[in-house]
Amino acid sequence: MMHAILFALAATAASTTPTPAPAPPPYREAQPDDRFSTIAFDPTADAASELEFAQKGAAISGKKLLIIMGGNWCHDSAALANLIDSPRFVGMITQNYEVLFVDVGVPQTGNGRNLEIAKRFGIKKVKGTPTVLVVSPLGKLLNSKKDAASWRNAASRDEDAVYSYFAEFTAG
């Protein structure tokens, strides 16, 4: 008897029409610009240890050390992090730089962290994000302190100008 019921159910299921595919989702509006979103700046990282490791790597490889001090919350920090990771930049950057992203919290409001790294290179106060340090393989700051602090407008900088800026430190 049980087999007869199962056979009847299977036959009924086979004779029903298939459920139509769901309708496609409605048109989706453009999403916010991903240039302003990043996770490059890890607030839980041991920045001092990472700096030591990056400096040793730069000394061994002969590459410059590019330290970008910023925060994931900062659209200028995110824009710069994403730009140097873009197809146009990645080759030049990886050939010539060891890159270190340092989360600095929100120093503008007094809630900064890892600020001793900037002080180590002669920058007394991180006034804005990102702050960009270009360091020689021997640990010398190559860009000026004023220039390091000038990146607070990174999101609005011309891509060609940013590329030229980092490429200028690769000559020689």
Side-chain angles (χ1 to χ4, degrees), residues 38-43 68-72 77-78 81 100-104 130:
T38 189
I39 57 168
F41 302 93
D42 182 356
I68 301 175
M69 303 184 73
N72 294 331
S77 297
L100 177 62
F101 293 98
V102 176
D103 182 89
V104 294

Side-chain angles (χ1 to χ4, degrees), residues 3-152:
H3 290 330
I5 294 172
L6 289 174
F7 181 74
L9 286 174
T12 304
S15 67
T16 61
T17 57
T19 306
Y27 173 75
R28 188 176 139 195
E29 293 293 323
Q31 297 301 301
D33 194 335
D34 285 341
R35 291 181 308 146
F36 304 125
S37 176
T38 189
I39 57 168
F41 302 93
D42 182 356
T44 65
D46 180 352
S49 294
E50 288 186 355
L51 173 61
E52 185 177 324
F53 183 79
Q55 283 187 298
K56 286 179 182 176
I60 292 168
S61 69
K63 295 179 181 182
K64 313 292 188 293
L65 176 57
L66 177 58
I67 305 170
I68 301 175
M69 303 184 73
N72 294 331
W73 60 267
C74 171
H75 76 281
D76 287 300
S77 297
L80 183 58
N82 290 324
L83 189 60
I84 67 167
D85 196 37
S86 69
R88 178 178 181 195
F89 281 69
V90 77
M92 184 264 293
I93 294 293
T94 57
Q95 281 184 322
N96 297 288
Y97 292 97
E98 298 287 337
V99 179
L100 177 62
F101 293 98
V102 176
D103 182 89
V104 294
V106 188
Q108 303 90 325
T109 65
N111 295 312
R113 65 177 147 264
N114 299 316
L115 303 178
E116 67 282 354
I117 291 174
K119 289 179 183 170
R120 188 170 176 175
F121 294 98
I123 297 173
K124 295 177 186 170
K125 186 175 183 181
V126 174
K127 296 178 183 176
T129 51
T131 295
V132 176
L133 310 175
V134 180
V135 180
S136 77
L138 300 175
K140 180 182 181 229
L141 184 65
L142 298 175
N143 58 336
S144 72
K145 296 171 194 172
K146 182 179 178 184
D147 198 30
S150 74
W151 286 87
R152 294 179 293 185

